């Protein structure tokens, strides 16, 4: 079995009116990728809070986010998809200004590969158990 690498990731919990901002990949089925919160890799030398803001903007197409607080860190073993342990920095973000109930977006990956297409929408906080790959692990801390 390949050696597992540890990578730094961020997850973003954006809450508005008791609903969480989530997305699904439109090029893959729910069975393959599930419902996710904005998030992604922390770049070398990048502060995790800055990475959270960048990832939220890139994946949703919205721009007016601020960090409310860091909720904590967790580790998640994503094997066998990739032999990787993700150290996830989880942040609560606020979105300022209007946002639709549902919209499409895409992440362009700095032109390094084909864009990833998303459908963004809001789900009730009570339904966050549907989040894939342990992404909802720190939802309860929103209520602390």
């Amino acid at each position: 079995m390949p050696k597992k690498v540890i990578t730094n990731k961020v997850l973003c919990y954006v809450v508005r009116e008791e609903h969480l901002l989530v997305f699904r990949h439109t090029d893959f089925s729910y069975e393959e990728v599930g419902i996710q919160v904005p998030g992604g890799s922390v770049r070398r030398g990048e502060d995790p809070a800055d990475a959270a803001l960048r990832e939220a903007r890139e994946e949703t197409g919205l721009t007016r986010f601020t960090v409310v607080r860091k909720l904590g860190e967790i580790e998640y073993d994503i094997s066998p998809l990739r032999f990787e342990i993700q150290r996830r920095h989880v942040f609560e973000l606020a979105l300022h200004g209007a946002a639709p109930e549902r919209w499409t977006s895409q992440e362009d990956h700095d032109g390094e590969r084909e864009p990833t297409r998303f459908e963004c929408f809001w789900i009730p906080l009570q339904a966050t158990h549907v989040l894939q790959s342990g992404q909802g692990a720190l939802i309860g801390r929103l209520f602390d």
Side-chain angles (χ1 to χ4, degrees):
M1 180 182 302
K3 183 177 187 222
K4 294 180 184 177
V5 297
I6 296 175
T7 59
N8 280 299
K9 301 286 186 173
V10 292
L11 294 177
C12 307
Y13 294 168
V14 182
V15 178
R16 176 178 276 180
E17 299 173 2
E18 302 294 316
H19 285 72
L20 181 70
L21 176 58
V22 297
F23 68 84
R24 69 176 191 90
H25 289 265
T26 58
D27 294 331
F28 300 94
S29 70
Y30 281 109
E31 293 85 1
E32 291 177 275
V33 295
I35 295 174
Q36 303 176 44
V37 296
S41 297
V42 178
R43 294 175 178 165
R44 178 169 290 194
E46 185 177 34
D47 180 83
D50 292 335
L53 292 169
R54 176 181 51 76
E55 288 289 348
R57 289 189 303 263
E58 288 176 356
E59 292 182 349
T60 68
L62 304 175
T63 58
R64 300 186 65 208
F65 293 101
T66 56
V67 173
V68 175
R69 61 186 165 146
K70 184 172 185 177
L71 297 171
E73 294 178 21
I74 55 171
E75 288 192 353
Y76 187 84
D77 186 340
I78 196 123
S79 305
L81 176 64
R82 292 186 300 274
F83 291 98
E84 173 182 303
I85 296 173
Q86 295 181 346
R87 181 175 294 122
R88 295 173 171 179
H89 304 263
V90 183
F91 291 89
E92 179 182 2
L93 303 184
L95 174 63
H96 305 279
E101 290 295 314
R102 189 173 290 267
W103 68 97
T104 58
S105 180
Q106 74 178 33
E107 184 174 3
D108 292 323
H109 306 289
D110 301 322
E112 295 175 8
R113 63 181 194 260
E114 288 296 311
T116 304
R117 290 179 285 280
F118 305 114
E119 178 183 28
C120 302
F121 53 100
W122 303 87
I123 62 171
L125 286 172
Q126 296 83 359
T128 55
H129 62 277
V130 302
L131 294 172
Q132 67 99 18
S133 301
Q135 289 190 358
L138 298 185
I139 288 288
R141 292 192 182 171
L142 291 169
F143 305 101
D144 291 346

